[in-house]
Amino acid sequence: MGLLNVSVIFLLSLITMTLAEPPGCKIRITNRGLEMLKAETKRFVEEELSNITMPEMQGKEGRFQYTIKNVKITELNLTSDLRFQPDVGLLFEVQNSSITINFQRRILYWLFYDEGSINASAEGVNIFTVLHLIKDQDGRLKIANITCDAFITKMRARFSGTLGRVYDFIGTFLTTGMRFVLNKQICPALNHAALVLVNQLLETVPVRTEVDSYVGIDYSLLNDPVVTETSLDMDFRGMFYDLKNENETLVNNAVNPVLREYDRMVYLALSEYFFDSGLFSYFKGGLFQTQIANERMPKDLEMLLRTTYMGKIMMLDPTFMEHPLSLELEVKSPPRSTIKTSGASVAVSCNVKVFVLPPGKPAVQLSSLTMEGTFNAEVAMKGKRLTIHLDLKKSTIFSDQVFESLALIPLQSPLKTMLQLSAVPLINNYIKRGVQIPLPDGMDFIEEVVEYHNGYIIVGANLHFRTGLREIIEKKLSGETDSI
């Protein structure tokens, strides 16, 4: 019975692994990337702690009556560290640091009244904070909760004013209360910083959004991030979709990208599915069709077409010889990409129709052909936008009719040149803007290196902050975001 249970569990696990949706996009942030984030995180935490507000304190100790107000943190000297917490998220730690505080005192002792400022120094400040990272219900990376423990070893006060030295002996009493209150303020401030402010920063990462008027892209996480001592790995759906029919999408049967490197700050892996889903969606959106006529028709090509179809034109109507010709190209099935170690390519098959255009009359079809082409695809990154540049590698045009195919042989080379000079630039101009990868606003790739593998590409890069974390969050609150 025990053996049967083990077999059933193993079988269910195998089925689950088989049915699991592979990612079209992966991102790995390494320890080197985390090193870059340390200084920015420290500055952000210092800004949050500087904004701590403390209530007015009143009390009595023997003959002394005191009031403490206008408490301000004037200086922070934090020795901090940021590192991965395996299976959880991130660990931010502060050790043996100091915080300088200034506040106003008002003290009454018998008939003596005195007021002035106090500079207090909190020493031995230690903060231990763990951020728990998850995939939320929308597929977005999110800090689910925060574990925080903070304590201050000691606090010293330096008095000023006419009776400064007289009151030194009650410094311990005042600073003990102040240390207790400050201890209680640190973790709530960091909770707000992480659960509210940093989560607002993560909301700038695109999840499901429009790319242009034809397609959108889905960057939702497929599962919780995988955190080890050396990296944070995230699997994204990485799927384009047709805006007119968002439910009609391509099934992902591509290779699951494998990330093995840790030398750069960040790695982006994109499978063939990422590109194929884009090609599929643009095909469904009706983008892959064009007409080449009039001023867009090269004169040399028009002359070749007219010569090739002279007999047919004369049989239809000799006067058609004076009228312009046109080509209509329509991709008949979704193009497919192929990624190998040697590079990336896109295969296209389309219908080509040749028309004569008599003025004031409907176009007259002369022929219906099939053209198959292969494009070399060069992938590049700029900032956090992925771009592709196409170059026509080869093309073949043929007809179902044997004799017509033979007659088309002289057209092969000129047609390829025409497509390279007219159609391909139009495509490249349309796609040159690229698409944003799932990174927060204000953060860019720099020093990118693209590597081609069988079935996927990997972009290794370093990270760069264009602005600080607080500035990014303030832009988010004001409604300003990087465009997709």
Side-chain angles (χ1 to χ4, degrees):
M1 188 67 177
L3 181 60
L4 178 61
N5 289 337
V6 172
S7 300
V8 171
I9 293 173
F10 175 77
L11 181 60
L12 290 175
S13 300
L14 186 62
I15 293 173
T16 302
M17 291 174 62
T18 303
L19 296 178
E21 180 182 355
C25 170
K26 283 186 173 184
I27 287 183
R28 164 173 289 172
I29 299 176
T30 67
N31 270 327
R32 284 198 61 199
L34 210 58
E35 281 289 333
M36 190 276 296
L37 293 173
K38 283 183 181 179
E40 194 61 43
T41 303
K42 177 184 175 183
R43 186 165 74 93
F44 179 66
V45 170
E46 287 177 341
E47 291 172 348
E48 286 302 300
L49 295 181
S50 296
N51 293 328
I52 286 179
T53 58
M54 300 176 67
E56 182 176 299
M57 298 172 59
Q58 296 181 349
K60 186 175 182 182
E61 177 68 12
R63 299 292 184 178
F64 286 92
Q65 297 180 37
Y66 65 89
T67 300
I68 295 174
K69 61 180 181 179
N70 298 332
V71 181
K72 295 180 180 178
I73 294 177
T74 58
E75 185 179 358
L76 295 103
N77 293 303
L78 302 185
T79 302
S80 63
D81 189 24
L82 179 68
R83 58 182 183 270
F84 294 117
Q85 185 75 0
D87 302 321
V88 178
L90 298 175
L91 167 65
F92 179 77
E93 189 173 17
V94 173
Q95 291 184 337
N96 294 324
S97 300
S98 64
I99 301 175
T100 302
I101 300 172
N102 178 269
F103 51 91
Q104 297 296 313
R105 74 173 188 273
R106 187 183 302 147
I107 297 178
L108 179 64
Y109 177 67
W110 289 93
L111 299 178
F112 295 98
Y113 172 82
D114 185 47
E115 63 180 9
S117 65
I118 300 176
N119 288 317
S121 176
E123 300 175 357
V125 177
N126 295 275
I127 306 171
F128 184 86
T129 305
V130 177
L131 307 179
H132 299 252
L133 299 176
I134 64 164
K135 172 184 78 76
D136 72 5
Q137 60 183 6
D138 296 322
R140 190 186 303 278
L141 181 65
K142 181 179 180 181
I143 300 173
N145 59 69
I146 176 173
T147 303
C148 180
D149 184 25
F151 64 92
I152 299 171
T153 304
K154 58 184 176 181
M155 181 175 282
R156 296 175 179 175
R158 295 178 295 277
F159 290 81
S160 64
T162 58
L163 300 177
R165 292 186 178 180
V166 176
Y167 302 132
D168 277 341
F169 76 95
I170 66 167
T172 302
F173 170 76
L174 293 177
T175 55
T176 299
M178 188 61 66
R179 180 164 61 92
F180 175 80
V181 174
L182 183 58
N183 259 331
K184 294 295 183 181
Q185 295 288 336
I186 291 176
C187 282
L190 295 182
N191 281 343
H192 177 266
L195 298 178
V196 177
L197 299 181
V198 176
N199 275 337
Q200 287 176 340
L201 171 66
L202 295 176
E203 287 178 2
T204 66
V205 178
V207 173
R208 191 175 175 90
T209 186
E210 293 183 6
V211 175
D212 53 29
S213 58
Y214 291 92
V215 305
I217 191 165
D218 186 338
Y219 277 131
S220 56
L221 282 169
L222 298 178
N223 40 55
D224 290 339
V226 177
V227 187
T228 67
E229 291 184 353
T230 55
S231 67
L232 183 149
D233 290 356
M234 294 170 286
D235 289 354
F236 299 91
R237 179 164 284 116
M239 176 193 74
F240 290 84
Y241 55 89
D242 178 14
L243 292 177
K244 296 179 181 178
N245 189 357
E246 297 186 12
N247 294 323
E248 187 177 10
T249 57
L250 189 67
V251 177
N252 187 352
N253 295 316
V255 172
N256 191 343
V258 179
L259 291 170
R260 295 188 175 92
E261 302 295 328
Y262 296 88
D263 295 334
R264 309 300 289 271
M265 292 183 181
V266 62
Y267 289 92
L268 168 72
L270 301 169
S271 74
E272 288 177 346
Y273 176 75
F274 178 86
F275 301 99
D276 285 345
S277 68
L279 295 168
F280 176 86
S281 299
Y282 278 116
F283 173 78
K284 291 297 182 180
L287 184 64
F288 294 145
Q289 50 188 322
T290 187
Q291 182 184 44
I292 300 173
N294 301 319
E295 66 276 0
R296 292 180 58 192
M297 172 70 75
K299 296 301 181 182
D300 291 345
L301 177 63
E302 185 174 27
M303 180 64 69
L304 277 172
L305 290 173
R306 198 177 301 280
T307 302
T308 302
Y309 292 100
M310 179 184 295
K312 192 163 189 177
I313 292 174
M314 294 299 293
M315 289 178 63
L316 290 171
D317 189 337
T319 61
F320 284 177
M321 287 297 296
E322 304 298 325
H323 300 325
L325 302 180
S326 74
L327 287 178
E328 286 189 4
L329 288 80
E330 182 177 7
V331 176
K332 60 183 182 180
S333 62
R336 300 303 295 259
S337 67
T338 301
I339 303 175
K340 297 181 179 180
T341 54
S342 56
S345 62
V346 177
V348 180
S349 179
C350 65
N351 293 323
V352 180
K353 294 180 180 179
V354 185
F355 289 90
V356 62
L357 305 176
K361 296 181 181 179
V364 178
Q365 182 173 320
L366 298 177
S367 180
S368 179
L369 311 170
T370 298
M371 185 178 70
E372 294 182 351
T374 302
F375 294 83
N376 287 330
E378 182 181 357
V379 180
M381 285 289 304
K382 185 176 181 180
K384 59 170 169 278
R385 305 196 73 84
L386 181 81
T387 62
I388 301 174
H389 182 83
L390 297 177
D391 181 61
L392 184 60
K393 181 181 180 181
K394 64 179 181 179
S395 66
T396 303
I397 188 168
F398 56 90
S399 170
D400 292 337
Q401 301 178 22
V402 177
F403 291 109
E404 186 176 19
S405 292
L406 293 174
L408 291 172
I409 292 176
L411 278 177
Q412 302 291 342
S413 180
L415 186 59
K416 177 187 175 183
T417 302
M418 181 276 299
L419 291 173
Q420 184 66 41
L421 294 177
S422 57
V424 175
L426 292 175
I427 298 173
N428 283 329
N429 184 64
Y430 185 83
I431 63 177
K432 68 179 181 180
R433 181 169 174 265
V435 61
Q436 181 181 329
I437 60 172
L439 280 182
D441 284 354
M443 187 180 294
D444 291 331
F445 277 24
I446 59 172
E447 301 168 352
E448 310 90 347
V449 176
V450 179
E451 295 180 353
Y452 295 86
H453 299 260
N454 290 325
Y456 58 94
I457 68 167
I458 294 178
V459 181
N462 292 325
L463 292 171
H464 169 69
F465 271 108
R466 281 186 277 114
T467 54
L469 288 175
R470 178 163 297 281
E471 290 81 0
I472 298 171
I473 294 169
E474 288 174 351
K475 282 181 61 179
K476 169 67 169 61
L477 293 175
S478 65
E480 299 179 47
T481 58
D482 292 350
S483 60
I484 185 74

